[in-house]
């Protein structure tokens, strides 16, 4: 009897997500090894965990050689078609924006108190300082609004015809 299909969506439970990641990572690394042995294929596999830890497999003696071969094949084809300057500029801008989005998403998760394990003491102190500053700004804004409402109320009470 076969297994049922697994619904592909993010696992919300952090522990279950980590266990699933470890099992599937090991399975993927095993499959990469088997493919390289059974089919005499040159295989390179790179995995980054959500905490930024690197896992890699290379069927050759050097991952660098496989990556260089990949770049020659992939970017060699691009060079023959000679992309326009506009396409290259757009792609560079895309890469910059993607990097900014990644940083903003990581910062957002950190501000929510998530993925703090990868931060050092200095980064945690900076985050704490930023959160303290934000809380002070929120409280100040709230206080200003309360004072303004109280002034409006007291003016209305003193001179109801204004």
């Amino acid at each position: 009897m076969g297994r049922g299909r697994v619904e592909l969506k993010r696992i919300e439970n952090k522990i279950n997500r980590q266990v699933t990641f470890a099992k599937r990572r090991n399975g993927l690394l095993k499959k990469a090894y088997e493919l390289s042995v059974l089919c005499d294929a040159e295989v390179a596999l790179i995995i980054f965990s959500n905490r930024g830890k690197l896992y890699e497999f290379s069927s050759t003696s050097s991952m660098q050689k496989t990556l260089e071969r990949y770049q020659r094949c992939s970017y060699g084809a691009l060079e023959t078609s000679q992309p326009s300057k506009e396409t290259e500029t757009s792609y560079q801008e895309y890469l910059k924006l993607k990097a900014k989005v990644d940083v903003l998403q990581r910062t957002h998760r950190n501000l929510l108190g998530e993925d703090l394990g990868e931060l050092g003491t200095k980064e945690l102190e900076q985050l704490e300082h930023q959160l303290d500053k934000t809380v002070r700004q929120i409280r100040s804004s709230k206080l200003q609004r309360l004072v303004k409402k109280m002034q409006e109320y007291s003016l209305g009470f003193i001179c109801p015809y204004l």
Side-chain angles (χ1 to χ4, degrees), residues 110-146:
N110 291 154
L111 288 171
L112 292 174
E114 299 173 0
D115 297 337
L116 299 177
E118 61 191 39
L119 298 179
T121 305
K122 185 175 181 179
E123 290 93 359
L124 287 171
E125 288 175 358
Q126 289 172 343
L127 181 61
E128 182 181 24
H129 176 72
Q130 178 64 41
L131 289 170
D132 286 341
K133 182 178 173 184
T134 302
V135 168
R136 283 194 303 272
Q137 288 173 340
I138 291 169
R139 287 181 178 154
S140 174
S141 177
K142 179 182 170 184
L143 182 61
Q144 287 174 355
R145 288 181 186 178
L146 287 173

Side-chain angles (χ1 to χ4, degrees), residues 92-105:
Q92 292 300 324
E93 186 172 342
Y94 160 76
L95 291 176
K96 288 177 187 176
L97 290 173
K98 185 177 183 316
K100 285 182 181 180
V101 166
D102 291 342
V103 168
L104 288 171
Q105 286 176 334

Side-chain angles (χ1 to χ4, degrees), residues 47-142:
I47 304 170
F48 286 100
S49 72
N50 63 349
R51 295 183 179 188
K53 187 170 179 183
L54 169 68
Y55 301 91
E56 62 182 89
F57 167 79
S58 177
S59 60
T60 63
S61 60
S62 168
M63 174 69 81
Q64 186 64 33
K65 289 179 184 177
T66 305
L67 290 174
E68 287 170 2
R69 182 177 176 195
Y70 167 75
Q71 286 180 333
R72 280 193 310 274
C73 291
S74 295
Y75 298 113
L78 285 177
E79 289 171 5
T80 58
S81 64
Q82 298 203 355
S84 67
K85 185 70 172 171
E86 184 179 324
T87 304
E88 183 66 29
T89 303
S90 295
Y91 182 69
Q92 292 300 324
E93 186 172 342
Y94 160 76
L95 291 176
K96 288 177 187 176
L97 290 173
K98 185 177 183 316
K100 285 182 181 180
V101 166
D102 291 342
V103 168
L104 288 171
Q105 286 176 334
R106 186 171 49 251
T107 302
H108 182 253
R109 285 193 307 271
N110 291 154
L111 288 171
L112 292 174
E114 299 173 0
D115 297 337
L116 299 177
E118 61 191 39
L119 298 179
T121 305
K122 185 175 181 179
E123 290 93 359
L124 287 171
E125 288 175 358
Q126 289 172 343
L127 181 61
E128 182 181 24
H129 176 72
Q130 178 64 41
L131 289 170
D132 286 341
K133 182 178 173 184
T134 302
V135 168
R136 283 194 303 272
Q137 288 173 340
I138 291 169
R139 287 181 178 154
S140 174
S141 177
K142 179 182 170 184

Side-chain angles (χ1 to χ4, degrees), residues 144-162:
Q144 287 174 355
R145 288 181 186 178
L146 287 173
V147 167
K148 185 177 177 183
K149 285 197 182 261
M150 289 177 65
Q151 288 173 343
E152 290 171 357
Y153 177 75
S154 64
L155 283 176
F157 185 71
I158 294 171
C159 186
Y161 301 108
L162 285 177

Side-chain angles (χ1 to χ4, degrees), residues 2-44:
R3 295 183 190 163
R5 283 203 157 210
V6 175
E7 184 181 353
L8 289 181
K9 66 175 186 173
R10 184 175 189 269
I11 300 170
E12 296 302 322
N13 184 302
K14 194 173 186 177
I15 295 169
N16 290 349
R17 185 172 55 241
Q18 185 62 33
V19 169
T20 301
F21 172 79
K23 287 180 179 179
R24 287 184 175 246
R25 178 200 64 220
N26 290 336
L28 190 56
L29 290 167
K30 182 179 177 184
K31 290 288 185 187
Y33 170 75
E34 290 171 355
L35 181 65
S36 69
V37 171
L38 294 172
C39 302
D40 196 28
E42 184 174 346
V43 178

